[in-house]
Amino acid sequence: MIGNWSVAHFRARFGRAAGRSALASPAPVTHGLITLCCLLFLLSPAAGLNPAYSAGEELIAAQQAYFHRWGVVPAELFEGAPRAVLTPATALFVHGSWVHLLGNMLFLYVFGAMTEERMGRVQFTLFYLGCGYLALLGYAAANDDSTQSLVGASGAISAVLGAFLFLFPGARVTSLLPFLLFLPLRFPAWVVLPFWAALQWVAAGRATQGPGVAYLAHLVGFGLGFGYAWARFGRPTRVKAAPAPAPEGENQP
């Protein structure tokens, strides 16, 4: 769940020379994914708004059935059931709570736009779905006896972060640090995102079985995203700032 990250990033800018915010970049696939996830959530029992699912214990039962049907259940996935093979894809569009949904969509909104613009719409779509599927599959393989349902787009969004790090290492990311009283500070992506990955590594080592954040899926997705960007694009995109004009008195004749 991206919303549980210790460092919250609300805006990224591709260097001062680029002159445009990631939030303003044309990104129809990113916006479409966000819209689809939000609509599916509002119609699902997880939102608690659909009167068709009643309330109380009936609502809880409906939520559990919903997560079990569309989420990844590792113990079932490796039994070879045809339906279960599709769940690492369907789980990318299922979220367990409002916080889960809003946290994930915020990060996709911020980091997805520039990544999509760099890759192109079709490539970004295949990248998002493929890396998201493999991230959840990797988590399931490491917990193949678990009967807990795993849902959420965190693995795919982590892949977007990995690709973003490679493609735009110098992008300035505004971060809110809890231990600094949530003061907004700006750091380059090559500082913030590896720090986040290190936090996921530590958290994954301490994680126990049962409901919670799938830190391992974050790590797998992040590694896949970075590796794909490295293999596909070869080197990070760099923006060179234009040299400042010389003062009038220093102009050459």
Side-chain angles (χ1 to χ4, degrees):
M1 174 180 171
I2 302 298
N4 279 353
W5 292 359
S6 297
V7 183
H9 319 286
F10 291 94
R11 187 161 59 99
R13 187 177 295 275
F14 185 12
R16 294 181 179 179
R20 71 175 182 273
S21 170
L23 302 183
S25 300
V29 175
T30 296
H31 298 155
L33 289 169
I34 293 172
T35 300
L36 179 59
C37 286
C38 290
L39 286 176
L40 291 176
F41 179 79
L42 291 175
L43 294 173
S44 76
L49 300 177
N50 193 331
Y53 297 108
S54 301
E57 295 183 359
E58 294 183 4
L59 177 60
I60 295 175
Q63 291 173 344
Q64 292 175 344
Y66 176 73
F67 297 145
H68 186 271
R69 179 175 182 179
W70 301 110
V72 179
V73 181
E76 296 181 1
L77 178 62
F78 293 101
E79 290 178 354
R83 184 196 66 81
V85 174
L86 297 176
T87 56
T90 60
L92 297 175
F93 302 94
V94 178
H95 291 83
S97 67
W98 285 94
V99 173
H100 190 196
L101 172 74
L102 295 177
N104 278 354
M105 295 305 100
L106 172 63
F107 280 83
L108 178 57
Y109 183 67
V110 172
F111 291 98
M114 289 172 65
T115 307
E116 177 185 343
E117 188 175 9
R118 179 69 177 88
M119 290 185 176
R121 299 175 186 178
V122 174
Q123 184 178 176
F124 179 78
T125 302
L126 296 176
F127 163 81
Y128 181 90
L129 296 176
C131 288
Y133 185 100
L134 292 175
L136 296 183
L137 185 64
Y139 175 88
N143 300 272
D144 58 355
D145 59 344
S146 174
T147 58
Q148 296 290 338
S149 300
L150 176 65
V151 298
S154 299
I157 299 173
S158 296
V160 172
L161 292 188
F164 187 96
L165 173 61
F166 185 85
L167 296 171
F168 310 107
R172 306 295 294 185
V173 179
T174 300
S175 306
L176 300 180
L177 304 179
F179 53 85
L180 292 180
L181 303 178
F182 293 98
L183 294 176
L185 300 174
R186 289 171 62 80
F187 300 99
W190 65 265
V191 172
V192 174
L193 295 180
F195 176 72
W196 169 84
L199 291 178
Q200 305 308 295
W201 179 273
V202 172
R206 297 178 178 178
T208 58
Q209 289 187 345
V213 181
Y215 296 107
L216 181 58
H218 294 178
L219 288 172
V220 174
F222 187 83
L224 288 171
F226 187 90
Y228 176 84
W230 174 80
R232 175 64 179 82
F233 297 96
R235 60 181 180 178
T237 301
R238 299 184 185 279
V239 173
K240 296 182 179 180
E248 183 176 354
E250 297 180 10
N251 288 339
Q252 299 296 322

